[in-house]
Amino acid sequence: MASSYMLPGAQQAPSFHSHPSTASQPRQHHWSPYTENGGVILGIAGKDYVILAGDTRSSEGYSINTRTARKIFDVGSGLVLGVVGMSADGEELARRVARKIDDYKRSHDKHITVNAAAVMLSRILYAKRFFPYYVQPLLGGLDENGVGAIYTYDYVGSFERESSRAFGAAASLITPFLDNQINLKNQFEPGSNGEVPRKPGDMPRETVEKIVKDAFTSAVERHIEVGDGLQLVTVMRAPPRAEGAEPEEEEDEREKTAGGGVISEVMSELKKD
Amino acid sequence: MSAGKIYHIADYLLLAQLKSIVTAELLKEIKNESNPFTLNGGACLAMAGKDCVAIACDLRLGQQALTLSNNFPKVFNYGDVWLGLTGLATDVQTMHSLFRYKVNLYRLREEREIEPETMANLVSSTLYERRFGPYFVSPVVAGINQRTGKPFICGFDSIGCIDFAKDFIVSGTASDQLFGVAEGLWEPDLEPEELFETVSQTLLNSLDRDALAGWGAHVYIITKDKVTKRLLKSRQD
Amino acid sequence: MCCVAPDVVVVASRVAGLGLGSGSFGIRNQARVHETTTSPTSLSTLLASTEHQEPHLGIPIKMNQFPHGWGRPRDDVYGAYDSSYLNSSEPTSHTQRPIVTGTSVLGLKFNGGVIIAADNIASYGSLARYDNVERLLQVGTHTIVGAGGDISDMQHLHLLLDNLLIKEQYPADDHSLYAPQVHTYISRVLYQRRNKFDPLWNSILTAGADPKTSEPFLSYVDLRGTTYSAPALATGYGAHLAVPILRKHVPDEESAASLSLEEAQGLIEECMKVLWYRDARSGVSYSWAVVTKDGVTTGNKKIEKQSWKFAEMIKGYGAQNI
């Protein structure tokens, strides 16, 4: 909006645009190893669950490459990784994390904890400090107490545990909405005359899922790189086995592959325009 | 490097080496220092409800990251019409006095108050007069047509293209955030008090995620025969 | 080496491991020794000639024959070799640009298989340099790889794929590579090359069908290692001109599963025609391939039933009278 007054190819006013604009030398073919594929992801940690969600549009410039690209990956041991930015780097990162988590399980004969995996991911990212993965990752899982955990990163591995976070193209649209609806920012207890802030943290999963869907339908309306489909991934505690019941084969298999939690995925539609 | 954002010199070399998108980020930073639309900061929002409209703004005036004042309202009143102006502060003030002058002349000539639809066209043509040397503002118009009783809101780009909306209009440095929250909270046919809550929550939560806007807010709730102006304290950081 | 006089040691050490003894190679190197030493007792006395001639042509040798500088200009002829360009602070950048290029590749899934097509032109800039180039490669029994972008990079990739197939084909074990494996392999190669800042300048479609389930497979990968799949895909201009047409008929996997082979062929024909009309780098003849569970069928086709009526409407670009 800010630059809509410029005619294509018009000379820019020198006082406001001081960066070089001349092209006196022959144009050199410049190649960048990076590209951006749009999309947005978010993660919300609850008392006993974690939700990671992302849209399924993958684009490059104004072209939609596909409407069915997943951005949230099951990386094993009950952990999920969301990646947004450059999809090739993102998928490579997810593969490496999944591989390392598998290695850990095989060499220690136990599932990695989410906090250990968080440090590991940080190291993987920092190892490429001088040629970074162009990816904003979100790591989700249940911690040793079965409490939901979201770890958020920058490109080169600095990280933090948070309760909610949006990353990607429409992060600036979704973040304040999440502040308000999940963390109850700027909300006060009715009748307290704005003295007692509402306390966040004990929201039922179903409510959060509704808010997540609202966040995405809103972002779809106002951001061209967001849309097509919604991938909603949940990590929950495995339901306790009935007294004396033999573990079913499938359940047994699940316990072997999942650490703290059981991962489930729901796909739904978003607007495609 | 010039004043403003400080990078470690090693990072500059690194970034340059990568010849990557990071370089584009750098350019963006340099460009931002001389972007008149984001120099002073500020945000504005208008919403339509059932037989009512609301318009609100923040109170910050800054120069880049430095806050100069926390009492710089960006919503102005001309009879039955309200005008929100974000962008370059000097242009905000210039446009305000220009429209006060123009609306006064309109009142003298027509012997009636200007209607919001008329104001919208006045704003548009005034901006387009400066097509090749524009005022760096993103105006918002809100009001209720006194003849028909219909709520009216609209927004503009800096050269006068009108954006008629039946839901809400956002402008300023927090426009991304405002779009996101407003799209999530707004619904049709809100009553005045509901509209006040919606506008205020939208503005407050957006301001809290924009370093260049905030430090208090003004909210106007306008019905056909009553206007309520409220001052929101908001975070003071 | 050990018997060399002390005053030549410095020089000799520069040619260490050379084996001054026999063959023309050794003799030429000794010329270097002669010129850089003054000792009358050194090996140089054996090599009195100061100006060595190329044995066959009788022209002076101007190329450095020492192994550490082989192929470079001789220091004594041209002065010290300027190697400053090798010590750049920039990362090594092999990044070229595409030279001889192919344009779009189209791919479309249908019920029980997938169809893929690419024209036979290889362009050198705007010149249609080669008009009989095959850009579809069959890999194994149930896979076709179609490439757009640089043709020599494509041919290099074909070499890799041929070698891969020889290495991985174990018919006795009932083990062979199918489209998903081939696509993953190509994507790994392309991603690794982009990580080396030395990309293979291609956009590639891999098409195939599972020999048992006849599940169609269609995937894209490009020079940055970006991969994606969809029921209808195209590279290059096809992404802008053909994909919208294909998507109109095949918006999702379900509709692809109810598309017949004939319908798919018709759609591809239509899209190739649109590209022939509007993509100036395209050609009038193209190769197509259909993969089903029974294997690959290929063919060659010319754009049929052309109508350039729309061209009459286009004015203002050429030297025509408006």
Side-chain angles (χ1 to χ4, degrees), chain B:
Chain B
M1 290 300 141
S2 59
K5 204 124 191 181
I6 296 170
Y7 284 98
H8 194 274
I9 184 68
D11 282 348
Y12 256 107
L13 294 174
L14 272 172
L15 295 179
Q17 265 192 3
L18 282 173
K19 291 183 185 172
S20 65
I21 191 141
V22 194
T23 323
E25 286 302 313
L26 252 174
L27 270 176
K28 233 190 270 176
E29 289 294 335
I30 296 163
K31 208 171 150 189
N32 207 34
E33 274 179 34
S34 53
N35 183 348
F37 286 96
T38 57
L39 181 70
N40 303 118
C44 181
L45 165 71
M47 275 186 181
K50 189 168 191 293
D51 304 322
C52 57
V53 291
I55 184 166
C57 65
D58 75 322
L59 296 181
R60 181 180 182 271
L61 169 76
Q63 196 159 96
Q64 312 241 58
L66 172 70
T67 301
L68 300 174
S69 164
N70 56 9
N71 189 21
F72 191 85
K74 294 155 192 78
V75 171
F76 308 99
N77 169 240
Y78 310 97
D80 295 331
V81 182
W82 279 259
L83 176 69
L85 293 162
T86 63
L88 194 67
T90 181
D91 286 349
V92 168
Q93 291 175 319
T94 307
M95 298 249 29
H96 167 49
S97 37
L98 184 64
F99 284 120
R100 186 175 52 198
Y101 165 80
K102 287 194 172 187
V103 172
N104 280 342
L105 282 185
Y106 181 95
R107 200 182 284 119
L108 289 168
R109 197 156 41 214
E110 299 275 327
E111 296 186 341
R112 64 188 171 102
E113 293 295 337
I114 195 168
E115 298 289 358
E117 289 88 343
T118 320
M119 183 68 179
N121 286 292
L122 178 66
V123 171
S124 175
S125 50
T126 305
L127 288 169
Y128 198 77
E129 266 182 27
R130 292 280 174 273
R131 171 61 180 80
F132 297 111
Y135 293 110
F136 299 112
V137 289
S138 314
V140 175
V141 162
I144 290 188
N145 189 306
Q146 290 303 112
R147 198 168 52 78
T148 63
K150 243 184 76 185
F152 178 87
I153 54 165
C154 72
F156 311 81
D157 70 3
S158 60
I159 52 169
C161 173
I162 310 180
D163 171 8
F164 297 105
K166 56 179 192 293
D167 44 10
F168 52 84
I169 292 288
V170 305
S171 91
T173 50
S175 61
D176 278 18
Q177 290 90 331
L178 288 164
F179 268 129
V181 188
E183 196 64 63
L185 297 187
W186 186 88
E187 44 191 290
D189 298 325
L190 291 165
E191 297 295 335
E193 275 310 300
E194 298 171 317
L195 188 67
F196 166 71
E197 193 63 29
T198 311
V199 165
S200 303
Q201 287 292 339
T202 304
L203 188 67
L204 253 27
N205 288 287
S206 299
L207 295 182
D208 290 350
R209 284 289 180 180
D210 181 13
L212 300 180
W215 289 58
H218 283 176
V219 182
Y220 295 81
I221 305 295
I222 302 147
T223 55
K224 190 157 189 292
D225 41 31
K226 187 176 146 199
V227 179
T228 314
K229 176 186 175 184
R230 291 197 177 99
L231 191 145
L232 303 182
K233 194 159 162 280
S234 96
R235 287 173 69 118
Q236 297 294 310
D237 58 2

Side-chain angles (χ1 to χ4, degrees), chain C residues 54-67:
Chain C
E54 192 69 59
H56 318 297
L57 306 173
I59 53 167
I61 300 167
K62 298 200 173 159
M63 192 180 90
N64 191 335
Q65 304 288 330
F66 288 95

Side-chain angles (χ1 to χ4, degrees), chain A residues 29 31-35 37 60 63-68 86-89 91-92 95 128 131 133, chain C residues 95-98 188 191 194-195 197-199 201 222-230 233 240 247:
Chain A
H29 206 111
W31 181 72
S32 165
Y34 290 118
T35 185
N37 299 105
E60 212 167 349
S63 296
I64 296 170
N65 288 336
T66 179
R67 302 187 194 278
T68 55
M86 179 181 170
S87 66
D89 273 353
E91 284 165 26
E92 169 73 3
R95 268 192 295 269
K128 272 172 74 68
F131 183 27
Y133 286 121
Chain C
T95 315
Q96 351 82 338
R97 60 207 166 90
R188 301 295 63 214
Y191 186 71
R194 90 108 209 192
N195 282 348
F197 282 75
D198 187 15
W201 213 287
D222 68 14
L223 71 167
R224 292 185 185 83
T226 306
T227 60
Y228 47 86
S229 308
L233 286 177
H240 298 105
R247 274 193 193 153

